[in-house]
Amino acid sequence: MRFRGGRRQKNQLELAFVPIGGGEASAVGKGGTETPRAAQVCQGPAMATEFLMEEVCDPGNLKRALQRVCQNQGDPGMDGMTVQQLPAYLGDHWSEVRSQLLGGGYKPRAVKRIEISKPEGGSRKLGIPTVLDRLVQQAILQVLQKRWDPTFSEHSYGFRPHRDAHQAVARAQEIVAQGYGWVVDIDLEQFFDRVNHDRLMARVAERVADKRLLKLIRAFLNAGILEDGLVRPTEEGTPQGSPLSPLLSNLVLDELDRELEKRGLPFVRYADDCNIYVRSERAGQRVMKSISDFLTRKLRLKVNATKSAVAKPSERKFLGFSFWLNPAPRRIIAPQALARFRRRVVELTGRNRGIGLERMIGELNQYLRGWIQYFGFCERRTELKDLDGWIRRRLRSAAWKQWKTGRQRYRVLLRLGVTAERAKAVAGSSRGPWPMSRNKVIHQALSNRYLRNLGLLSLETWPSA
């Protein structure tokens, strides 16, 4: 079955959620306007949310959820069903799934546990729900997020519509510029794995009266984890990788936001990364102790003492950035992020990869493009200029190694426009590839213009930077 494009895929998307019967309380009327019930549910208290499951199962909501799941792709869950197979499955089984959801009998499958490497070392555990469970969670997310998001703190930026990490960094920069010269950088240890289910469900129940939906969210939390061929129960945590987890995590940490607001502390939070700003180190130590106690006793979360600190903003990183205070704070790329970047570029430009320069640049560009779209937000451009020069040197070093023999080097240099005399002077050099990458003859042969013509992107002049 073709997934992208093709009339068959389009028809399956259109037909998967054909409305069944007339008793369903649709949240969206003709022309995209809300029905009176939907408007009431969006604005009212928990008692006005008794029919949220009907909104979850609304054909329009489900179609949008399916499109999002298909766009996100992702690996199969424990049942092996792929995203590409999901529309056909729904075409055959949606009536049954819908009945289970509306009747409160839908049973999620256990999530498949995988580990991915963390940039700073170690690994992070992710949970992969089945694609059908991902669809249901996405549909729930769409219904709840439009109600809950407007109630969250303006200081929260993670996993929220129309908010992103750049806005969070810019806000932190504004606070530092106001004279808050110390930051209380709080790191929550394994936050997603430690969320207390009972406290979380109590918070959800304050906002949701539909018992079917409460039961289903609890079922997703307790679905279990498939690891090493065995399914073990889950008594705490919201698995990273499931569509609902970010919204539920914001609900949990909304209590932290309200506490900080009540105390009048300026702060910025992005998911579980929270920076609180104060005017002195002594005040920072007091805030660190009191907020750590609040997180431990009230929210039952654990603060990672080794990664948390009270320090100058220039000494800490926030979402990959730091601040250069000279005199006004300017955004710079954090040293840790620069180190990760260099490690990755070294891998992509390895002299022993055995691939041609043009292909190496193509693979390198894929990484550079995504990296600069994020870190181009920095304000110290000299870093990007220096990285450009270092990358070009890496490529010249790789090319020199690939040319191997003096005779081959001589021929290649001639072909690249170097005179016979200059080519002969360097072709037989016994110096290594890295020292030779700075040689004037190599610079002439593999000039900046030549590398640009091969397609090499420049970090310094990238349009979105």
Side-chain angles (χ1 to χ4, degrees):
M1 178 186 72
R2 291 183 59 194
F3 176 67
R4 294 194 178 275
R7 185 174 300 276
R8 183 177 181 185
Q9 173 65 17
K10 181 178 180 180
N11 289 343
Q12 286 172 337
L13 286 170
E14 293 293 329
L15 296 176
F17 306 114
V18 176
I20 303 172
E24 193 168 308
S26 176
V28 180
K30 292 182 179 180
T33 60
E34 289 184 327
T35 63
R37 170 175 284 175
Q40 180 189 25
V41 169
C42 287
Q43 298 172 9
M47 289 307 295
T49 57
E50 295 179 348
F51 300 97
L52 289 183
M53 192 62 80
E54 278 74 15
E55 287 194 51
V56 171
C57 295
D58 175 80
N61 184 55
L62 266 296
K63 187 182 294 184
R64 291 191 297 273
L66 178 59
Q67 290 170 343
R68 177 57 63 89
V69 170
C70 291
Q71 289 170 2
N72 292 343
Q73 291 292 298
D75 294 336
M78 66 174 295
D79 62 355
M81 185 190 301
T82 66
V83 169
Q84 290 82 359
Q85 295 169 329
L86 180 58
Y89 177 87
L90 293 171
D92 295 333
H93 300 281
W94 172 239
S95 176
E96 177 186 353
V97 173
R98 174 183 176 277
S99 296
Q100 292 174 354
L101 290 170
L102 294 176
Y106 184 87
K107 296 187 182 300
R109 307 287 296 274
V111 300
K112 184 172 68 174
R113 171 62 56 84
I114 63 170
E115 291 192 17
I116 61 172
S117 299
K118 297 174 67 173
E120 62 272 18
S123 62
R124 174 183 288 112
K125 293 183 178 182
L126 297 181
I128 303 180
T130 66
V131 292
L132 181 59
D133 285 345
R134 293 209 292 268
L135 171 73
V136 175
Q137 287 196 39
Q138 179 63 36
I140 296 172
L141 170 67
Q142 292 169 181
V143 169
L144 297 183
Q145 189 168 57
K146 65 183 180 183
R147 289 170 168 78
W148 295 3
D149 189 77
T151 71
F152 289 152
S153 169
E154 64 180 53
H155 307 285
S156 166
Y157 291 85
F159 308 123
R160 298 184 61 187
H162 314 300
R163 288 177 169 243
D164 58 29
H166 285 173
Q167 293 173 329
V169 173
R171 178 56 186 149
Q173 183 180 11
E174 291 174 359
I175 297 174
V176 174
Q178 292 170 6
Y180 291 90
W182 291 84
V183 59
V184 181
D185 187 355
I186 294 179
D187 183 273
L188 296 176
E189 186 172 306
Q190 298 179 323
F191 166 70
F192 285 92
D193 294 331
R194 293 183 179 274
V195 171
N196 182 275
H197 287 179
D198 292 336
R199 280 195 56 81
L200 171 57
M201 288 307 304
R203 296 282 291 172
V204 175
E206 292 173 0
R207 297 168 177 249
V208 173
D210 191 325
K211 294 183 179 180
R212 297 165 300 176
L213 186 54
L214 291 173
K215 177 182 176 182
L216 181 56
I217 293 174
R218 171 74 81 166
F220 277 121
L221 294 174
N222 295 339
I225 293 174
L226 175 65
E227 192 172 19
D228 298 327
L230 298 174
V231 175
R232 62 176 181 83
T234 48
E235 298 177 353
E236 62 179 2
T238 61
Q240 285 182 271
S242 68
L244 264 180
S245 286
L247 180 65
L248 296 178
S249 69
N250 273 335
L251 182 63
V252 170
L253 292 175
D254 188 59
E255 289 190 71
L256 171 62
D257 298 342
R258 300 309 176 190
E259 179 67 19
L260 295 173
E261 289 174 348
K262 185 173 69 174
R263 300 186 185 192
L265 294 169
F267 71 98
V268 181
R269 183 177 65 79
Y270 190 95
D272 58 336
D273 200 343
C274 184
N275 278 5
I276 308 166
Y277 295 90
V278 294
R279 296 187 184 274
S280 69
E281 183 179 13
R282 184 176 179 182
Q285 295 295 349
R286 288 199 305 266
V287 170
M288 173 66 81
K289 184 179 185 308
S290 62
I291 294 301
S292 296
D293 289 344
F294 173 83
L295 289 165
T296 302
R297 297 176 182 176
K298 184 74 181 292
L299 302 190
R300 303 183 190 178
L301 298 172
K302 184 176 181 180
V303 175
N304 189 327
T306 60
K307 293 185 178 181
S308 301
V310 176
K312 292 284 189 179
S314 58
E315 299 171 359
R316 304 295 293 178
K317 68 177 178 69
F318 182 54
L319 302 177
F321 292 91
S322 186
F323 298 112
W324 183 35
L325 308 177
N326 189 28
R330 298 175 63 194
R331 297 184 298 272
I332 63 173
I333 304 170
Q336 300 93 324
L338 285 173
R340 291 196 298 269
F341 174 82
R342 288 179 175 271
R343 286 196 297 269
R344 182 57 179 150
V345 171
V346 166
E347 293 174 1
L348 292 169
T349 59
R351 296 193 291 266
N352 297 318
R353 292 196 64 201
I355 61 175
L357 196 61
E358 191 167 354
R359 179 181 166 188
M360 184 178 289
I361 288 174
E363 295 181 3
L364 178 63
N365 280 347
Q366 293 181 20
Y367 176 67
L368 296 181
R369 189 173 289 110
W371 190 87
I372 193 59
Q373 283 176 345
Y374 184 77
F375 286 103
F377 191 58
C378 73
E379 294 177 311
R380 196 164 68 180
R381 311 300 295 177
T382 55
E383 291 179 334
L384 302 180
K385 181 179 179 180
D386 292 344
L387 290 174
D388 271 344
W390 175 72
I391 289 170
R392 290 191 292 265
R393 189 178 176 191
R394 290 284 312 173
L395 292 171
R396 292 176 182 126
S397 174
W400 183 258
K401 175 70 179 293
Q402 290 171 3
W403 295 343
K404 295 182 180 178
T405 66
R407 183 172 299 178
Q408 183 180 359
R409 290 167 181 164
Y410 179 77
R411 289 197 301 267
V412 173
L413 290 172
L414 289 179
R415 191 166 66 246
L416 294 175
V418 177
T419 64
E421 182 180 359
R422 300 190 76 192
K424 184 177 180 180
V426 300
S429 174
S430 60
R431 301 181 71 195
W434 189 243
M436 287 302 295
S437 66
R438 301 187 67 176
N439 186 280
K440 292 182 179 179
V441 175
I442 307 305
H443 270 256
Q444 177 189 345
L446 300 177
S447 65
N448 294 0
R449 177 180 295 181
Y450 177 82
L451 294 175
R452 282 198 305 269
N453 290 338
L454 288 182
L456 179 65
L457 297 177
S458 168
L459 302 179
E460 185 184 14
T461 61
W462 178 252
S464 66

